[in-house]
């Protein structure tokens, strides 16, 4: 999984750079269109765009990860989703589904305080780590760390003989 994550991140990084270069040249040719194009309207949209544009690249990257964690947290609160959540969003070495929970449990939190603390810490160091690695490599590190920590959890559970489900990275 880790090799695939970093290989995919390298391809994503290349395509992102290629897209930025193409966009630069397209914008240079299309500058004159901005003068004749009507301006966008709507105060809420302008506020959201202003907020988004003021974020660092790291904060933009982490916003998606935080949104995924909040979405999964909300799914835990729906009674009809409990069976699916226990099957795919908790890690248990005695379960029939072993591989997908290794990744999906990374986004799973049951306690609001635990999720909020984790997301705060992720948000606080996101700018510096993304500026060091790039957003693509950061996502690969985040996903790989989640899968590796779940694997270590599997090994520890097998060694101790305790097979209760767990969640989180």
């Amino acid at each position: 999984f880790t090799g695939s994550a970093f290989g995919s991140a390298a391809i994503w990084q290349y395509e992102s750079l290629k897209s930025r270069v193409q966009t630069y040249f397209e914008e240079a040719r299309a500058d004159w269109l901005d003068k004749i194009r009507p301006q966008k309207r709507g105060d809420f949209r302008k506020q959201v765009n202003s907020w988004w544009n003021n974020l660092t690249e790291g904060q933009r990257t982490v916003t998606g990860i935080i949104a995924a964690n909040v979405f999964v947290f909300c799914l835990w609160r729906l009674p009809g989703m409990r069976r699916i959540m226990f099957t795919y969003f908790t890690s248990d070495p005695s379960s029939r589904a072993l591989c997908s929970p290794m990744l999906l449990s990374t986004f799973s939190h049951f306690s609001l305080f635990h999720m909020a603390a984790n997301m705060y810490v992720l948000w606080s160091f996101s700018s510096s780590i993304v500026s060091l690695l790039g957003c693509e490599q950061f996502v690969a590190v985040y996903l790989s760390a989640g899968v590796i920590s779940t694997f270590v959890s599997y090994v520890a559970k097998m060694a101790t003989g305790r097979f209760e489900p767990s969640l989180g990275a």
Side-chain angles (χ1 to χ4, degrees), residues 2 6 18 21 28 37 42 45 51 57 63 72 74 86 88 93 100 102 124 139 142 156 162 165:
T2 301
F6 281 100
K18 186 172 91 171
V21 169
R37 205 178 291 164
R45 185 176 178 173
W51 172 79
E57 185 181 13
T63 299
V72 171
C74 290
F86 273 109
Y88 295 106
S100 55
M102 289 180 79
S124 67
V139 171
Y142 179 83
R162 303 175 87 191

Side-chain angles (χ1 to χ4, degrees), residues 2-161:
T2 301
S4 296
F6 281 100
S8 298
I11 293 168
W12 179 21
Q13 203 166 20
Y14 167 77
E15 291 296 329
S16 178
L17 179 61
K18 186 172 91 171
S19 175
R20 278 189 250 153
V21 169
Q22 287 173 341
T23 302
Y24 173 79
F25 286 115
E26 288 170 3
E27 285 177 357
R29 283 183 278 169
D31 271 345
W32 64 275
L33 279 174
D34 286 339
K35 295 174 186 164
I36 60 174
R37 205 178 291 164
Q39 296 296 317
K40 296 176 183 174
R41 295 184 182 184
D43 289 333
F44 179 73
R45 185 176 178 173
K46 286 180 184 178
Q47 290 175 347
V48 170
N49 282 337
S50 174
W51 172 79
W52 184 257
N53 291 332
N54 288 330
L55 295 177
T56 64
E57 185 181 13
Q59 290 170 332
R60 286 188 207 136
T61 303
V62 170
T63 299
I65 294 171
I66 291 172
N69 279 279
V70 169
F71 179 71
V72 171
F73 179 79
C74 290
L75 287 177
W76 274 106
R77 302 299 173 254
L78 300 174
M81 293 295 295
R82 286 289 173 110
R83 186 170 159 220
I84 292 171
M85 298 305 288
F86 273 109
T87 303
Y88 295 106
F89 287 85
T90 60
S91 59
D92 183 3
S94 63
S95 173
R96 289 187 356 209
L98 287 177
C99 294
S100 55
M102 289 180 79
L103 176 63
L104 296 176
S105 67
T106 302
F107 298 97
S108 196
H109 296 83
F110 200 74
S111 161
L112 178 62
F113 178 75
H114 182 223
M115 183 189 67
N118 283 353
M119 297 305 105
Y120 174 75
V121 170
L122 187 64
W123 180 270
S124 67
F125 76 83
S126 64
S127 295
S128 57
I129 196 75
V130 169
S131 67
L132 180 69
L133 297 176
C135 68
E136 302 87 358
Q137 298 297 322
F138 171 73
V139 171
V141 167
Y142 179 83
L143 296 175
S144 295
V147 169
I148 290 169
S149 65
T150 304
F151 178 74
V152 170
S153 172
Y154 280 179
V155 170
K157 288 177 183 182
M158 297 292 280
T160 60

